[in-house]
Amino acid sequence: MTVPRFATPNVRRATPRTLMLLLLTALMAVSLVSLLIGAGSIGPGRALALLSGVQDSEAQFIVWELRAPRTLIGIVVGMALGVAGALLQAVARNPLAEPGLLGVSAGAAFAVALALVLGASAATLRISVAQLGALVGCVCVLSVARFRGVGNDPIRLVLAGAAFSGLLASLTSLILLYDQRAADEIRFWVIGSLAGRRLDDLLAVLPSMLVASVMVALLARPLAALALGERVASGLGHHPNLIRWLVIACVALLVGAATAIAGPIAFVGLVVPFVARAFAGPDIRRTLWFCLPIGPLIVLAADIISRVVVAPSELPLGVLTALCGAPVLIAVVRARRLPML
């Protein structure tokens, strides 16, 4: 007599291709909503009429000069932060690794604030400074936590990042007190927002994004091997230490460029990989692919909410993502049963 075997339910009934198509469709819908909705006097009706061919000079300026660049920048920033978060979590082997929690975004924001006080005005210079600050922040935090220890003690990584972020936030506050003239411009880099950004800002970061994209494509397979262990990765011909440093450089490019045009936006790098793994599973290569539409979806959705929740004013995007991301952080901590002090 044979014992019947019960079939395990298939959690992901849809194929990855179908899921990707659904996510891309949702991204297109959210992008359209981003063009239609804003805190100003141009409502969805006038914006939709403009997109349908009706001539309206005021609506044309609002939609194509303000909302369209904002939407494109939100898409690029969401992709950059989502992929950067997935890379950090993969290389640190820690679900709590995130650019905002590890001080990467804080390092970029502090570097930009310091450059603004010293008189930097060119967009390309701010981007380079932000990427350098992100690189220094990432190296400092991961050096304190030590790569080989973070997997066994995830809380140490978060504590190191929180301490470093707090230090940089204090130094940025000192800069605000020191130079009142630049306080308004610096405040943007402390909070994070997509408002008032131009296409020139996006064009300035595209070279960095392209370089980072090539690096991500080259690092995907070695990261998948590294997930199996250092010995397996070495046996397959990869160099674990080199992979880690290349990932850090790639994260610095992505986070530095995103921070240079949008300021520090917290928790996107935590939430996006968390959602992407629910669709893709543990494979880092699939996770990176799913981060591409999920990141812009989250950033644009949060940006749309920030425009209407306190209309006619706007809520800073960084504040809204922090409010939404904190419960996800708590959920990850509880799910992983991390040691609590």
Side-chain angles (χ1 to χ4, degrees):
M1 179 178 179
T2 60
V3 179
R5 300 181 62 182
F6 296 96
T8 58
N10 187 6
V11 178
R12 303 180 187 88
R13 296 181 182 276
T15 63
R17 182 175 298 179
T18 302
L19 291 173
M20 181 64 72
L21 289 176
L22 291 175
L23 289 172
L24 291 175
T25 303
L27 178 58
M28 293 176 62
V30 172
S31 300
L32 177 61
V33 174
S34 179
L35 294 177
L36 298 179
I37 294 180
S41 59
I42 305 300
R46 289 181 65 180
L48 187 59
L50 175 70
L51 297 178
S52 301
V54 177
Q55 296 297 323
D56 188 337
S57 58
E58 183 182 3
Q60 183 176 357
F61 174 78
I62 295 296
V63 172
W64 296 121
E65 299 296 328
L66 297 180
R67 294 180 186 173
R70 183 172 183 167
T71 301
L72 291 175
I73 290 174
I75 291 174
V76 173
V77 168
M79 288 181 178
L81 294 179
V83 170
L87 290 175
L88 271 180
Q89 292 176 13
V91 76
R93 308 184 76 174
N94 190 324
L96 300 182
E98 192 264 339
L101 293 177
L102 296 193
V104 183
S105 298
F110 170 74
V112 172
L114 183 61
L116 289 174
V117 170
L118 296 178
S121 58
T124 53
L125 178 59
R126 291 201 303 268
I127 295 166
S128 301
V129 169
Q131 290 168 341
L132 179 61
L135 178 62
V136 172
C138 191
V139 170
C140 288
V141 174
L142 291 180
S143 296
V144 171
R146 295 180 182 178
F147 281 114
R148 296 184 181 180
V150 294
N152 298 325
D153 192 1
I155 294 298
R156 181 168 60 185
L157 184 67
V158 178
L159 291 177
F164 190 71
S165 297
L167 174 63
L168 292 177
S170 300
L171 293 176
T172 305
S173 298
L174 289 177
I175 293 177
L176 290 173
L177 294 175
Y178 174 76
D179 193 342
Q180 293 294 329
R181 175 184 56 84
D184 292 336
E185 191 173 3
I186 294 174
R187 193 173 292 111
F188 166 81
W189 304 106
V190 177
I191 300 176
S193 175
L194 298 179
R197 297 298 92 191
R198 303 170 301 174
L199 279 179
D200 293 341
D201 300 317
L202 179 59
L203 294 176
V205 303
L206 283 184
S208 299
M209 294 294 187
L210 291 176
V211 172
S213 300
V214 174
M215 293 179 66
V216 171
L218 295 176
L219 289 170
R221 186 180 295 273
L223 274 175
L226 188 62
L228 301 176
E230 291 192 9
R231 292 184 178 179
V232 175
S234 300
L236 294 175
H238 303 296
H239 302 280
N241 288 330
L242 178 61
I243 295 172
R244 293 189 180 103
W245 287 112
L246 288 176
V247 168
I248 290 177
C250 187
V251 169
L253 288 174
L254 293 171
V255 177
T259 304
I261 57 176
I265 301 177
F267 289 108
V268 174
L270 174 72
V271 176
V272 173
F274 183 75
V275 177
R277 280 192 296 271
F279 290 107
D283 190 344
I284 182 61
R285 291 167 292 188
R286 286 189 177 181
T287 300
L288 290 173
W289 275 111
F290 275 97
C291 284
L292 294 179
I294 294 174
L297 263 174
I298 292 177
V299 171
L300 288 181
D303 185 50
I304 293 171
I305 296 173
S306 71
R307 303 180 204 177
V308 300
V309 69
V310 291
S313 300
E314 290 192 13
L315 186 69
L317 178 60
V319 174
L320 187 62
T321 56
L323 291 175
C324 298
V328 177
L329 174 62
I330 296 173
V332 174
V333 171
R334 290 178 60 87
R336 299 284 176 170
R337 298 179 181 178
L338 303 178
M340 303 301 292
L341 299 179

